[in-house]
Amino acid sequence: MAMLKSSLAFLVLASAFFLCFIMSIGDGSYDYFQFVQQWPPTNCRVHIKQPCSNPRPLQYFTIHGLWPSNYSNPTIPSNCTGPQFKKILSPQLRSSLMRSWPDVESGNDTRFWAGEWNKHGTCSEQTLNQMQYFDRSHQMWSSFNITKILKNASIVPHPTQTWKYSDIVSPIKKVTQTTPLLRCKRDPAKPKSQFLHEVVLCYEYHALQLIDCNRTAGCWNNVDIKFQ
Ligand SMILES: *[C@@H]1O[C@H](CO)[C@@H](O)[C@H](O)[C@H]1NC(C)=O
Ligand SMILES: *[C@@H]1O[C@H](CO)[C@@H](O)[C@H](O)[C@H]1NC(C)=O
Ligand SMILES: *[C@@H]1O[C@H](CO)[C@@H](O)[C@H](O)[C@H]1NC(C)=O
Ligand SMILES: *[C@@H]1O[C@H](CO)[C@@H](O)[C@H](O)[C@H]1NC(C)=O
Ligand SMILES: *[C@@H]1O[C@H](CO)[C@@H](O)[C@H](O)[C@H]1NC(C)=O
Ligand SMILES: *[C@@H]1O[C@H](CO)[C@@H](O)[C@H](O)[C@H]1NC(C)=O
């Protein structure tokens, strides 16, 4: 009897461990997506150790990544154990991505795509396989032209003008009907001064519908924002 009890206990424990194991491997568990676009001149301005490969950075918002995200934990998931990046074979998709998702720092687009897929894409592989992940990201980029939305609101790169957080958010919100998030980079040359770096749009679990972003903004409160 005692023997039966202990082997039963063992079985229960073993199953519990097995379940935990299954749940922790590779598993893309996430709540929603953050679609992050960046302003290349800001990348190059703060990327001071090694200058950007192209001395004249692109003057339009480009993709940084599509990140499966967790509401309660800002750092995970990442580096899940899904299949690693495979070369993008479709010439159409490649040429689209070279426009929408270039590596503005080192100029090696494939390495950038591989890094983003391996770190983030693997965590939502059950929803979007690699082809769908890149294809969907390009569609997202095409469906809301942030550069154009801002230009339409007279928010264009300017050497001295500054904007408030809400000045930049409201024209985007008006077009997308949801709340985006902005991320800034501090000016390496001037403390307490910040540049617009990224615009984040949030999508629900299936990456089909926009939703409000509700993470804390990545800009200092009450510090004007430069866009250059
Ligand atoms: C989000 O992270 C929390 C804390 O690590 C975890 O308990 C939760 O299961 C995660 N949510 C999803 C959907 O994975
Ligand atoms: C994920 O992998 C990348 C590239 O190898 C590494 O830079 C990063 O620190 C890793 N992140 C975590 C949370 O392990
Ligand atoms: C770009 O990066 C990939 C992957 O790291 C590497 O195999 C390739 O040689 C690089 N290309 C150039 C032109 O440096
Ligand atoms: C986005 O808008 C900018 C500014 O109007 C324009 O120059 C650019 O061609 C547009 N990009 C696409 C892909 O339509
Ligand atoms: C351009 O601005 C007008 C006036 O604010 C606004 O009604 C319209 O939705 C904007 N269009 C785009 C594409 O941003
Ligand atoms: C963000 O929204 C989600 C979904 O409605 C909710 O679960 C989460 O608690 C919210 N987080 C914050 C910081 O408001």
Side-chain angles (χ1 to χ4, degrees):
M1 189 64 195
M3 172 110 158
L4 190 67
K5 249 191 198 158
S6 69
S7 46
L8 205 69
F10 175 76
L11 209 71
V12 167
L13 259 176
S15 322
F17 275 116
F18 182 68
L19 258 177
C20 282
F21 176 70
I22 290 293
M23 285 167 65
S24 69
I25 49 165
D27 70 337
S29 19
Y30 65 95
D31 299 314
Y32 71 106
F33 283 98
Q34 297 189 78
F35 177 58
V36 185
Q37 299 183 62
Q38 61 191 4
W39 178 246
T42 301
N43 283 59
C44 296
R45 185 184 292 275
V46 301
H47 192 249
I48 41 184
K49 279 195 211 122
Q50 209 185 1
C52 278
S53 59
N54 187 341
R56 184 173 154 69
L58 294 170
Q59 300 283 312
Y60 61 84
F61 283 85
T62 58
I63 302 173
H64 177 174
L66 178 63
W67 303 344
S69 304
N70 178 317
Y71 277 124
S72 51
N73 185 332
T75 60
I76 58 157
S78 72
N79 299 342
C80 298
T81 58
Q84 296 293 289
F85 181 80
K86 287 182 217 57
K87 190 169 184 279
I88 292 172
L89 296 174
S90 151
Q92 290 89 338
L93 183 56
R94 281 185 68 83
S95 70
S96 297
L97 295 174
M98 284 166 73
R99 255 186 325 128
S100 61
W101 200 335
D103 182 331
V104 299
E105 294 176 11
S106 78
N108 187 333
D109 298 347
T110 304
R111 193 170 57 197
F112 189 31
W113 302 337
E116 289 295 309
W117 168 263
N118 293 340
K119 183 168 182 183
H120 301 284
T122 52
C123 301
S124 50
E125 211 265 339
Q126 75 275 35
T127 309
L128 300 172
N129 66 28
Q130 186 188 304
M131 217 265 291
Q132 296 165 329
Y133 177 83
F134 285 102
D135 202 54
R136 187 71 54 83
S137 299
H138 181 75
Q139 279 174 27
M140 289 172 174
W141 178 80
S142 307
S143 51
F144 296 103
N145 183 336
I146 300 293
T147 319
K148 189 173 173 179
I149 294 171
L150 294 182
K151 192 174 181 180
N152 183 43
S154 308
I155 301 173
V156 290
H158 190 279
T160 53
Q161 197 175 347
T162 60
W163 287 269
K164 306 234 172 292
Y165 189 90
S166 59
D167 296 337
I168 301 174
V169 159
S170 56
I172 300 171
K173 192 169 173 172
K174 194 162 168 204
V175 173
T176 64
Q177 302 285 309
T178 51
T179 306
L181 209 65
L182 305 181
R183 291 151 61 110
C184 296
K185 286 277 189 194
R186 65 174 61 190
D187 182 348
K190 210 158 161 260
K192 278 287 168 195
S193 172
Q194 61 187 350
F195 291 103
L196 178 61
H197 181 220
E198 294 179 325
V199 173
V200 182
L201 302 180
C202 296
Y203 286 80
E204 45 62 61
Y205 188 86
H206 296 98
L208 292 169
Q209 305 252 350
L210 277 165
I211 54 173
D212 288 328
C213 297
N214 68 357
R215 187 159 278 175
T216 322
C219 295
W220 274 320
N221 268 334
N222 310 318
V223 175
D224 289 344
I225 298 174
K226 297 191 269 190
F227 179 44
Q228 296 181 8

